[in-house]
């Protein structure tokens, strides 16, 4: 069995490696030559515990190699980005481009699967594209959609053990895709159609976005009411049927902060709750930035000097290096743009260096700062001693004080 994975990012690379680990001959494809070169040198261009050793193992076995062009295979997987265009309108041009790259290689009996988060109807659009360009393949290949469900930092375990939803354009395609994933997925493989599978992925993350928005809205209310939101949520969750999430400085990443727009763009009148949740979570980041700027102004008026500020965390969630759609990064950028030459130290312990920010060691920043702003609840931060001699703006519950 030969499989070709189009895209070697946070999902494509781990999935390709795990498939190769289970005896599938895998070609990993990425248009970024540096990614291909790094991968073929046995190094990761992403941070994922344990994955680099597995990469080296599958390369040594001959089951995996990276390329800049697709290779002739029996199964092709589209694992490329689906960004925005215009006013949060989904852009499936990457999926289409990857599909066009594999078009000349498709043959009777092949499996074509989209894993990229996609608007409802994308799989059918790609089916139309394939058959319009290669009409001789009509009803002779298998086409399906199978979204990932993984947590960065625990990808190796979750790609194998999590349940998967698999939807084909027909029953035969669903069965063919289940046959492939059954080679390495120990979780249950749930059958459906491609439109339901597409909507399922969007629904999962939109549901989480709404739940987080409730927690973030509570934090805004509690700040105005003089109530400790962390204590409030802990007490409310004592109710046997209540499970409120923890608030933060917003919502980031390429899933929860993105997927709801795939629904609201297609169904604007029917998705008012989903749309409002998105607005709430976006507003929380703006609110946090304003709180920091006001604290800096108050410090300067009181002490007749500009404050030293530590912005603690840039990633979109704890203990990872992923800065995609990160509210912490957005807040830090806004603060830097309005700092008027104040001393702003930027901290991200999971990133060695960044093109936009000069990074400072978290211990040094914490010790020097007049104002400490916790944006991401990294494990390193919880080991620090709580300072009572400085102003602490804790937007992520590092100390829950």
């Amino acid at each position: 069995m030969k499989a070709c994975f189009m895209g070697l990012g946070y999902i494509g690379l781990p999935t390709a490696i795990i498939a190769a680990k289970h005896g599938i001959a895998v070609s990993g494809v990425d248009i970024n030559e540096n990614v291909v070169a790094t991968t073929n040198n046995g190094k990761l261009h992403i941070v994922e515990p344990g994955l680099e050793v597995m990469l080296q193992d599958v390369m040594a076995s001959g089951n995996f190699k990276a390329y800049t062009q697709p290779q002739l295979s029996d199964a092709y997987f589209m694992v490329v980005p689906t960004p925005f265009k215009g006013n949060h309108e989904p852009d499936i041009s990457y999926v289409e481009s990857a599909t066009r790259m594999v078009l000349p290689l498709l043959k009777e009996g092949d499996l074509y699967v989209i894993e990229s988060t996609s608007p409802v109807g994308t799989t059918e659009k790609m089916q139309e594209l394939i058959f319009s360009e290669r009409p001789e393949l009509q009803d002779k290949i298998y086409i399906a959609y199978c979204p990932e469900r993984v947590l960065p930092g625990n990808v190796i375990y979750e790609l194998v053990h999590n349940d998967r939803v698999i939807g084909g354009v027909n029953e035969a395609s669903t069965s063919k895709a289940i046959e492939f994933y059954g080679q390495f997925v120990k979780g249950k493989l749930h059958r459906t159609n491609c439109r339901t599978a597409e909507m399922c992925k969007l629904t999962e993350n939109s549901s989480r976005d709404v739940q987080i928005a409730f927690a973030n809205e509570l934090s805004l209310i509690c700040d105005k009411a003089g109530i400790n939101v962390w204590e409030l949520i802990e007490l409310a969750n004592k109710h046997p049927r209540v499970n409120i999430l923890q608030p933060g400085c917003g919502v980031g990443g390429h899933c929860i902060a993105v997927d709801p727009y795939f629904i609201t763009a297609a169904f604007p009148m029917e998705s008012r709750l989903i749309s409002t949740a998105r607005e709430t979570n976006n507003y929380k980041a703006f609110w946090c930035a304003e709180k920091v700027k006001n604290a800096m102004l108050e410090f300067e008026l009181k002490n007749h000097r500009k404050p030293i500020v530590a912005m603690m965390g840039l990633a979109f969630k704890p203990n990872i290096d992923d800065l995609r759609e990160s509210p912490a990064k957005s807040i830090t950028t806004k603060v830097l743009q309005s700092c008027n030459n104040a001393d702003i130290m930027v901290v991200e312990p999971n990133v060695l260096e960044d093109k936009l920010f000069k990074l400072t060691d978290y211990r040094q920043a914490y010790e020097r700062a007049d104002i400490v702003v916790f944006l991401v609840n990294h494990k390193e931060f919880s080991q620090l001693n709580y300072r009572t001699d400085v102003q602490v703006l804790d937007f992520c519950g590092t100390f829950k004080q």
Side-chain angles (χ1 to χ4, degrees):
M1 180 81 183
K2 294 182 179 179
C4 180
F5 284 81
M6 302 295 292
L8 294 177
Y10 285 89
I11 302 302
L13 181 58
T15 309
I17 292 171
I18 286 174
K21 187 71 173 176
H22 287 77
I24 300 167
V26 174
S27 302
V29 180
D30 203 286
I31 60 173
N32 187 321
E33 294 181 358
N34 290 330
V35 168
V36 172
T38 300
T39 303
N40 282 333
N41 285 329
K43 301 293 183 182
L44 291 184
H45 70 96
I46 59 174
V47 174
E48 188 59 46
L51 191 63
E52 189 164 276
V53 172
M54 191 177 290
L55 168 62
Q56 294 164 1
D57 288 345
V58 296
M59 292 189 67
S61 71
N63 278 349
F64 178 85
K65 188 174 181 181
Y67 301 86
T68 56
Q69 293 292 325
Q71 305 296 301
L72 186 65
S73 302
D74 306 303
Y76 300 86
F77 298 84
M78 309 300 108
V79 203
V80 294
T82 44
F84 294 137
K85 59 181 179 181
N87 186 24
H88 292 116
E89 296 176 6
D91 181 4
I92 62 170
S93 62
Y94 289 80
V95 176
E96 180 177 340
S97 178
T99 301
R100 289 187 180 278
M101 288 178 72
V102 304
L103 261 176
L105 304 180
L106 291 173
K107 60 188 183 300
E108 183 176 347
D110 282 354
L111 172 65
Y112 166 95
V113 178
I114 300 175
E115 285 204 3
S116 305
T117 302
S118 303
V120 175
T122 300
T123 306
E124 292 163 318
K125 286 182 180 178
M126 293 305 106
Q127 179 188 35
E128 292 173 6
L129 169 63
I130 292 169
F131 292 157
S132 66
E133 298 284 334
R134 300 283 308 278
E136 73 276 13
L137 294 175
Q138 182 85 36
D139 300 325
K140 293 183 179 179
I141 65 170
Y142 305 95
I143 299 174
Y145 182 79
C146 180
E148 50 78 21
R149 287 170 165 168
V150 296
L151 182 70
N154 197 35
V155 166
I156 294 176
Y157 178 86
E158 297 206 351
L159 275 175
V160 173
H161 292 89
N162 285 357
D163 287 7
R164 301 293 288 265
V165 173
I166 300 177
V169 295
N170 51 43
E171 286 292 333
S173 293
T174 303
S175 297
K176 188 72 171 180
I178 285 177
E179 180 184 334
F180 177 85
Y181 284 99
Q183 295 177 87
F184 60 89
V185 176
K186 294 182 180 178
K188 189 172 181 180
L189 303 175
H190 301 273
R191 305 175 65 96
T192 186
N193 57 73
C194 59
R195 293 178 74 87
T196 302
E198 290 164 341
M199 190 62 167
C200 186
K201 170 66 174 180
L202 304 180
T203 299
E204 290 165 3
N205 286 321
S206 296
S207 171
R208 296 174 67 198
D209 196 42
V210 171
Q211 292 170 327
I212 295 169
F214 180 75
N216 279 336
E217 191 167 275
L218 272 182
S219 71
L220 302 177
I221 295 168
C222 287
D223 181 78
K224 198 163 189 177
I227 296 171
N228 184 320
V229 68
W230 315 106
E231 180 186 6
L232 172 69
I233 291 175
E234 182 181 0
L235 292 172
N237 283 345
K238 300 297 182 183
H239 188 291
R241 290 172 295 281
V242 173
N243 185 24
I244 303 168
L245 301 182
Q246 300 294 295
C249 63
V251 173
H254 197 61
C255 289
I256 302 177
V258 175
D259 294 2
Y261 290 119
F262 287 46
I263 296 178
T264 60
F267 311 99
M269 297 305 296
E270 296 82 5
S271 57
R272 288 177 292 177
L273 178 61
I274 296 171
S275 178
T276 301
R278 273 284 72 231
E279 292 173 4
T280 299
N281 287 329
N282 284 338
Y283 174 72
K284 183 64 186 293
F286 169 82
W287 181 86
C288 289
E290 292 302 304
K291 292 283 284 189
V292 177
K293 289 188 282 186
N294 288 338
M296 292 170 62
L297 179 60
E298 290 173 5
F299 181 95
E300 185 174 355
L301 291 173
K302 181 179 179 180
N303 297 279
H304 307 293
R305 67 175 178 86
K306 296 187 182 297
I308 302 172
V309 182
M311 305 296 290
M312 307 290 280
L314 287 175
F316 80 81
K317 65 184 296 181
N319 307 322
I320 63 171
D321 70 329
D322 195 343
L323 309 187
R324 291 178 296 174
E325 308 295 329
S326 171
K329 181 179 177 181
S330 172
I331 293 164
T332 299
T333 300
K334 286 182 172 64
V335 170
L336 284 168
Q337 289 172 344
S338 63
C339 69
N340 296 321
N341 298 318
D343 189 351
I344 310 292
M345 295 175 291
V346 181
V347 171
E348 180 42 69
N350 295 290
V351 175
L352 293 178
E353 59 181 45
D354 187 86
K355 294 179 181 179
L356 295 178
F357 303 101
K358 178 183 178 182
L359 300 179
T360 302
D361 178 79
Y362 73 96
R363 291 168 293 249
Q364 178 186 345
Y366 189 64
E367 291 171 0
R368 285 190 57 215
D370 300 306
I371 300 173
V372 180
V373 184
F374 286 107
L375 299 169
V376 190
N377 197 9
H378 289 313
K379 62 181 184 294
E380 291 87 352
F381 301 163
S382 63
Q383 299 168 3
L384 298 168
N385 294 320
Y386 185 78
R387 292 184 62 182
T388 58
D389 59 323
V390 299
Q391 183 173 4
V392 176
L393 298 177
D394 189 355
F395 298 127
C396 59
T398 298
F399 295 112
K400 290 183 168 55
Q401 297 188 31

